[in-house]
């Protein structure tokens, strides 16, 4: 029997690990708050040992994705340039212990004369392709820095980062809109959200569209409780309007709450989508491990 | 001899006043930090008296523009709906003391189903028209909330607010970009600024374009000192790309530093512009006073 894989998603603010059987079954999951920002230089081996050392004692392979491979992490795993698929990434792992523990590199691409990067999302993309049995897809991974990823023939050929979640939080908490918006995050008001999505499509950019959250409140034409949903629709709508329509459903990968919100925005814009959870990342690391075995 | 006009620009964070002769000459200016946020309800008459009471003792007319006419100000001066010119605004002043002290109302308009508002900028627009002897113009008033104003036959027919200055400050100070950007505001790097303007035109919106300030730094493809200028170009470029090109030069009204930056951005986009200082506001209040005399 093949040894199981220890898959690790080591991000800025959290550390998650899973033991995965040779057939892809997730046998066990662990999570801790030991994100890379909490780990001093040199402290990474011990934190990994503390989290899942019992599982590493055998001859398990351990693949670590996410910000642990960044300059501020365990060791810098240089970005792999797009186009890149399973084979290119498997060939460019940064090995901490040869054959045992490796950091999965992020990817970089160049669009309109500027670089773009991702680190961690690529394994979710690979996992989604594996789960769906697809060779070609357009994927959207919503979040603080959303990614829109184009895959052709199982290789990531291009992607774009949008500062959607971060700009929403900035407008929500630090802008003039903070004075009008409710302090807590009320449940999604679907009508206000879709109105925001549609207004973002018509308006001349977010700088202009965002001010409408203020004026609608000023003239009492939208209830205060609905304004956060409206602003969320504006910001997500601004992200999604940049993407060309696709005949194939887009693939959303992320938390249920966020992918449901994006799916609603996409439907409002006439675009079908299907959603997968972030556990696609485990499947992506498993697929990478299989690629290594076959290499 | 006609009495002089006491013109007051009473904003959120400052109070400025000028005595203006019948021919439009500014005889004297005063400024204080008594913006409306520092004035308790009911305290406005006293603050005005303290600032320029000696000039109000005669039979001078006093016209007050800006946020003093907002709900949080001296008294709410209801917005005048566009299209509106000198006559409509003069007819809808909110008089504090009939014939003596009046609040100039802001303007509102409706675009794509949402309202837009300005308060204070309209007198700068009127002043610019008066100074330039123009009946038709497209004006840009840069700032925290920039305004793009369309004037036909000396009436403001439509305008749009862009949260340009505010979003720049948010990204600069509170976003992930703050980690990379220099803490102080270095002198404008024109090459980086125009590169930002051009990238904003090509990119699919600011959510996407802004991330390039991070990646250019990450790959050390732009000097840290140039990044703030680049980001400024991205945000101003995002505002300006929304406007249709105009054969006539645009009219910029604002501080020299800001209008010079906008003029450079516009030239980069192939659009000519001419600039006026914010003192156009005095001229606008003077023109309103003349309209009142003629009414």
């Amino acid at each position: 029997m093949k040894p199981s894989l220890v898959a690790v998603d080591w991000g800025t603010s959290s550390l998650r690990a899973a033991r995965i059987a040779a057939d892809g079954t997730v046998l066990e999951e662990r999570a801790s708050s030991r994100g890379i920002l909490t780990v001093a230089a040199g402290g990474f081996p011990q934190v990994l040992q503390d989290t899942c050392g019992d599982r590493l004692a055998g001859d398990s392979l351990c693949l670590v994705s996410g910000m642990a491979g960044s300059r501020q992490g365990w060791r810098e795993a240089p970005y792999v340039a797009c186009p890149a698929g399973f084979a290119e990434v498997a060939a460019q792992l940064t090995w901490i212990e040869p054959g045992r523990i490796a950091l999965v590199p992020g990817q970089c691409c160049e669009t309109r004369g500027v670089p773009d990067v991702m680190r961690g999302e690529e394994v979710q993309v690979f996992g989604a392709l594996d789960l769906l049995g697809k060779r070609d897809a357009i994927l959207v991974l919503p979040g603080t820095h959303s990614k829109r990823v184009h895959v052709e023939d199982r290789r990531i050929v291009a992607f774009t980062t949008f500062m959607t979640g971060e700009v929403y939080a900035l407008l929500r908490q630090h802008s003039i809109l903070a004075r009008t918006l409710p302090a807590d995050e009320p449940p999604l008001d679907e009508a206000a959200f879709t109105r925001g999505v549609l207004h973002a499509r018509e308006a001349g950019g977010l700088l202009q569209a965002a001010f409408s959250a203020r004026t609608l409140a000023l003239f009492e034409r939208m209830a205060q409780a609905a304004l956060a949903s409206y602003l969320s629709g504006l910001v997500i709508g601004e992200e999604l309007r940049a993407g060309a329509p696709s005949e194939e459903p887009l693939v959303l990968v992320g938390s249920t709450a966020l992918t449901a919100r994006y799916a609603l925005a996409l439907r409002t814009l006439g675009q079908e989508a299907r959603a997968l959870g972030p556990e696609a990342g485990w499947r992506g690391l498993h697929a990478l491990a299989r690629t290594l075995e076959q290499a």
Side-chain angles (χ1 to χ4, degrees), chain A:
Chain A
M1 191 182 127
K2 284 182 195 170
S4 56
L5 166 71
V6 176
V8 178
D9 168 21
W10 205 337
T12 305
S13 55
S14 70
L15 166 59
R16 295 189 316 128
R19 193 161 57 88
I20 302 176
D23 66 355
T25 308
V26 176
L27 303 171
E28 184 190 349
E29 281 192 279
R30 295 181 189 180
S32 91
S33 55
R34 299 300 310 271
I36 68 158
L37 294 183
T38 72
V39 183
F44 288 88
Q46 190 59 51
V47 174
L48 185 64
Q49 186 68 29
D50 293 347
T51 307
C52 41
D54 49 337
R55 297 304 177 190
L56 289 172
D59 54 357
S60 290
L61 172 69
C62 176
L63 292 179
V64 181
S65 70
M67 296 304 281
S70 72
R71 214 171 288 172
Q72 294 77 35
W74 193 340
R75 189 183 299 174
E76 187 169 6
Y79 293 106
V80 176
C82 288
F86 297 82
E88 288 82 358
V89 172
Q92 294 177 65
L93 297 174
T94 291
W95 289 96
I96 301 281
E97 284 184 28
R100 276 252 304 152
I101 304 178
L103 301 174
V104 179
Q107 299 207 3
C108 63
C109 68
E110 182 97 8
T111 312
R112 300 188 197 90
V114 296
D116 206 337
V117 293
M118 63 179 166
R119 203 181 270 287
E121 292 90 351
E122 69 290 337
V123 299
Q124 295 190 12
V125 170
F126 291 147
L129 294 178
D130 205 54
L131 284 166
L132 300 174
K134 290 178 84 74
R135 303 188 71 83
D136 303 280
I138 300 174
L139 303 97
V140 173
L141 292 80
T144 304
H145 296 164
S146 290
K147 308 286 178 186
R148 185 184 187 94
V149 183
H150 292 255
V151 172
E152 292 176 12
D153 201 18
R154 299 184 87 212
R155 297 167 90 209
I156 296 174
V157 292
F159 62 89
T160 310
T161 302
F162 298 85
M163 294 175 66
T164 310
E166 180 164 16
V167 168
Y168 173 70
L170 289 175
L171 290 171
R172 181 96 178 71
Q173 293 159 18
H174 295 291
S175 82
I176 192 172
L177 306 179
R179 298 186 206 165
T180 328
L181 268 63
D184 58 338
E185 194 74 27
L188 187 69
D189 179 318
E190 291 201 0
F193 177 78
T194 55
R195 183 173 175 188
V197 171
L198 292 171
H199 187 66
R201 185 176 60 179
E202 304 303 326
L206 186 62
L207 293 176
Q208 172 185 342
F211 196 66
S212 68
R214 174 160 172 76
T215 54
L216 286 170
L218 194 65
F219 289 97
E220 295 172 0
R221 282 169 50 179
M222 185 172 284
Q224 198 202 19
L227 285 170
S229 297
Y230 177 71
L231 181 63
S232 173
L234 287 177
V235 181
I236 291 174
E238 168 77 5
E239 173 189 333
L240 295 176
R241 80 188 178 101
S246 161
E247 289 204 6
E248 286 289 302
L250 295 193
V251 178
L252 295 166
V253 186
S255 71
T256 308
L258 213 43
T259 57
R261 202 172 272 218
Y262 270 67
L264 174 57
L266 286 166
R267 267 203 309 284
T268 306
L269 297 169
Q271 174 69 56
E272 288 305 311
R274 55 187 300 179
L276 294 173
E279 63 278 7
W282 297 147
R283 185 70 175 213
L285 289 171
H286 172 71
L288 265 182
R290 284 200 331 260
T291 307
L292 278 176
E293 284 166 17
Q294 291 156 9

